[in-house]
Amino acid sequence: MAEEVSYHRRHLPEETCVSFSSAQGVIIFKRALRANTMGPYFALAEQFTTQAEPAYCGLATLVMVLNAMAIDPKRVWKGVWRWFSEELLSCCKDIEEVKKEGISLAEFARLARCNGAACDVVSGEDSAVDEFREAVLANATGRHGDRGGPCCEYICCNYDRRALGQTGQGHFSPIAGYDEVEDLVLVLDVARFKYPPHWVRLADLHLAMAERGYALVSPGVDAVGGGGPALGCEGGCLLEGYDREGRRLGGHHKKSCARCGR
C-alpha cells in the first residue's frame, strides 16, 4: 500500500520573498519600524492565526482583522466568551462549502459587513500600482482619531500565489507593514503551516492581485464602541450602496476610517 503523501512547510522562493525572521527580514522590520510604517503590525500580530482548514484563508484573514479591531461578535465562541473564530463566519455561505472551495473577494466583503465592519473592495483591474502604493503607505503610517490611537483600517489582499513564485493559487492574507526604502510589504500569511510571514515587493503583490484585488476593512459605524454584527444579511447580503462585487456604487472607494472619519 502506497504511503500517503504529506508535507511539512514549503521553502519561500528567495527570488520574490524575504522571510520575516531571517537576518535580512529583521533588518527590514527595524528600518520600517524606525520610519513609522508598521502601523497595522502590532494589533495584527496580537491576533495572528493559522487557518484551520486548507480553504479557510479568507475566513482566517477576516477573523484576524475583526479581532484586531476589537469588534464584539455579539455571540458566544466557547464557554462564556464572545470572540471571532472561523466557524462563526457562516452567515453568508455554508461553512461546508467554504471548506471545499473557500470564498471569493466579494464574499469576503459581505462577511465583513455582516459582522460589524465597513469594507470596500478594490479590484485588481481597477487599481494602478501607484494607487495601491498610496493606500499601503497611508495604512502603514497610521492616522489618529479621537481616541488618540492608531486608525483601525486593514488591507486584506486576495492574490495568486503563483505570481510570487509560491505553490498554490488563490490566497488571502493581510498586510502588516511597509518598507519604503525597498518598496516591500509585510504579508502575514495565514497558511503558517506552509509559509512564514514574509516581505515581498509591492509591485509583485500588485501583479499577483491583477485578477483578484484587495479589501479595505475598518470598524463599521454601528461597531464603534459596541461591535457587530451590525449590518445583517438582508437581501442575500447585497447591501444598499454596494454592487454584487462588494464595491461602493458610483466607483468611489472609501478613503477614510469609519472610526475616526479621517
Side-chain angles (χ1 to χ4, degrees):
M1 185 175 179
E3 185 178 349
E4 188 174 337
V5 176
S6 64
Y7 301 96
H8 179 243
R9 311 193 75 175
R10 293 283 195 184
H11 291 291
L12 275 172
E14 296 180 359
E15 300 81 7
T16 57
C17 305
V18 177
S19 175
F20 179 58
S21 62
S22 68
Q24 184 61 22
V26 171
I27 290 172
I28 297 168
F29 175 71
K30 290 180 178 178
R31 183 171 63 207
L33 202 59
R34 288 194 298 268
N36 295 316
T37 54
M38 294 299 299
Y41 172 76
F42 292 98
L44 285 175
E46 286 182 340
Q47 308 302 335
F48 196 9
T49 188
T50 301
Q51 61 189 79
E53 296 282 345
Y56 273 12
C57 56
L59 298 188
T61 298
L62 185 53
V63 162
M64 279 181 64
V65 299
L66 290 172
N67 286 328
M69 294 185 292
I71 292 177
D72 184 346
K74 300 296 186 182
R75 54 202 188 277
V76 171
W77 163 60
K78 292 181 181 180
V80 298
W81 299 105
R82 300 193 302 273
W83 189 252
F84 280 108
S85 63
E86 291 150 314
E87 64 268 21
L88 260 64
L89 301 181
S90 59
C91 59
C92 300
K93 186 173 184 177
D94 185 87
I95 201 73
E96 293 303 317
E97 288 187 37
V98 179
K99 283 183 181 180
K100 296 176 183 177
E101 61 188 34
I103 59 174
S104 67
L105 185 56
E107 289 167 338
F108 177 96
R110 288 195 288 270
L111 271 171
R113 298 191 197 109
C114 286
N115 286 280
C119 182
D120 278 337
V121 168
V122 182
S123 70
E125 61 184 12
D126 293 338
S127 170
V129 66
D130 288 340
E131 293 173 337
F132 179 52
R133 182 176 293 107
E134 180 182 347
V136 168
L137 183 59
N139 177 255
T141 52
R143 290 164 291 181
H144 296 271
D146 54 8
R147 292 189 177 190
C151 180
C152 289
E153 183 175 77
Y154 298 95
I155 298 178
C156 301
C157 297
N158 181 207
Y159 57 98
D160 190 330
R161 283 192 182 278
R162 294 171 295 184
L164 301 178
Q166 301 174 357
T167 63
Q169 298 184 35
H171 191 56
F172 281 90
S173 282
I175 290 177
Y178 176 61
D179 173 51
E180 200 167 7
V181 174
E182 295 188 54
D183 199 30
L184 302 170
V185 293
L186 177 60
V187 176
L188 294 187
D189 197 323
V190 294
R192 294 195 290 180
F193 52 83
K194 186 175 185 179
Y195 291 118
H198 48 274
W199 296 95
V200 297
R201 287 185 291 271
L202 182 143
D204 288 347
L205 182 58
H206 178 264
L207 180 63
M209 296 189 296
E211 297 182 1
R212 298 172 184 271
Y214 62 94
L216 299 168
V217 186
S218 61
V221 174
D222 293 339
V224 177
L231 302 176
C233 292
E234 291 82 1
C237 299
L238 180 60
L239 301 176
E240 183 178 356
Y242 295 88
D243 66 16
R244 291 191 178 275
E245 298 303 314
R247 291 175 288 201
R248 191 180 295 276
L249 293 176
H252 300 295
H253 302 300
K254 184 174 68 64
K255 298 296 185 182
S256 61
C257 173
R259 181 188 294 274
C260 66
R262 296 176 60 185

